[in-house]
Amino acid sequence: MSEQRPGGGGATVWLTGLPSAGKTTIARALAGRLTQEGRRVEVLDGDEIREHLSAGLGFDRADRDTNVRRIGFVAQLLASHGVLVLAPSIAPYADSRDAVRKRHEAAGTPYLEVHVATPVGVCAQRDVKGLYARQAAGDLTGLTGVDDPYEEPSAPDLRLVTEGRSARESAGAVHALLAERGLV
Ligand SMILES: Nc1ncnc2c1ncn2[C@@H]1O[C@H](COP(=O)(O)OS(=O)(=O)O)[C@@H](OP(=O)(O)O)[C@H]1O
Ligand SMILES: Nc1ncnc2c1ncn2[C@@H]1O[C@H](COP(=O)(O)OP(=O)(O)O)[C@@H](O)[C@H]1O
């Protein structure tokens, strides 16, 4: 069974960071590489999750916490069946992230937290979905990192700098961490 082979078992890699930090782009680049290497991979994209699993939830603290715990629940289930799960989701609160880590630890499922540590000024320039512009124009409130909290991870398994680096390089750094932990 694949989950019993060294380096062939499942794991969850959570990519936390601000909107436009690069979470999704790095997850997709890493997923492509891992798939080519013959691994079963699932990207639990934040936007897709909010359309289906978390439909109806908003962005206040309670709803974000519920959203993150749901993603953590599904991630752990998939990872326990040998899937490498990539979860690019803001997850702004340390408590919610800790709950997800504990769920994995309790089940003996490997879990890695990656902080995509792009500064808010750089994210606001990238502004992939126009959220920073909308917040500045007064069309949106409660934007993570601007007028809503982002509690930086105090001890992530990896902190990624993305400025001056390609998404491929950033994905490579996560891949190296997976290799170091015997997960690929
Ligand atoms: N107010 C506010 N704050 C933050 N993000 C917002 C907001 N409104 C919409 N969005 C968009 O929602 C995308 C998914 O967010 P997440 O599910 O990852 O957020 S959370 O973990 O529940 O906090 C998130 O995706 P990414 O940009 O990929 O991070 C945002 O684009
Ligand atoms: N090293 C890097 N890693 C990831 N994305 C990068 C990097 N450098 C620039 N970018 C760009 O930043 C943007 C990040 O967008 P996205 O991945 O959707 O962010 P998030 O999922 O965190 O909201 C993309 O346009 C991407 O091309």
Side-chain angles (χ1 to χ4, degrees), residues 2-170:
S2 65
E3 45 270 47
Q4 288 170 352
R5 259 191 291 131
T12 294
V13 180
W14 197 291
L15 297 118
T16 171
L18 300 175
S20 291
K23 306 180 296 294
T24 311
T25 307
I26 294 166
R28 297 268 172 221
L30 179 59
R33 179 170 172 185
L34 291 167
T35 303
Q36 276 188 344
E37 292 169 358
R39 296 302 307 268
R40 280 186 294 156
V41 184
E42 197 62 57
V43 179
L44 297 178
D45 180 70
D47 288 329
E48 282 172 20
I49 292 287
R50 279 182 169 275
E51 195 182 330
H52 301 287
L53 185 67
S54 289
L57 292 185
F59 290 90
D60 65 14
R61 182 176 183 132
D63 279 6
R64 288 180 194 262
D65 180 64
T66 301
N67 180 47
V68 167
R69 285 172 192 255
R70 283 182 188 172
I71 297 170
F73 176 83
V74 174
Q76 192 277 319
L77 278 183
L78 287 169
S80 74
H81 288 280
V83 178
L84 280 175
V85 181
L86 309 179
S89 176
I90 299 171
Y93 295 110
D95 279 359
S96 317
R97 295 192 302 260
D98 286 349
V100 174
R101 181 187 286 281
K102 287 199 176 99
R103 171 176 288 281
H104 282 73
E105 282 172 359
T109 307
Y111 181 79
L112 300 176
E113 183 178 85
V114 175
H115 180 202
V116 184
T118 313
V120 67
V122 176
C123 294
Q125 274 173 3
R126 291 180 183 170
D127 204 9
V128 179
K129 298 175 190 161
L131 295 174
Y132 292 90
R134 283 179 54 205
Q135 193 281 336
D139 291 341
L140 180 142
T141 58
L143 182 62
T144 304
V146 182
D147 60 350
D148 215 53
Y150 180 74
E151 298 173 358
E152 292 215 347
S154 53
D157 295 280
L158 178 66
R159 210 183 291 279
L160 279 180
V161 172
T162 67
E163 306 105 287
R165 273 195 182 180
S166 69
R168 199 156 164 263
E169 286 173 302
S170 299

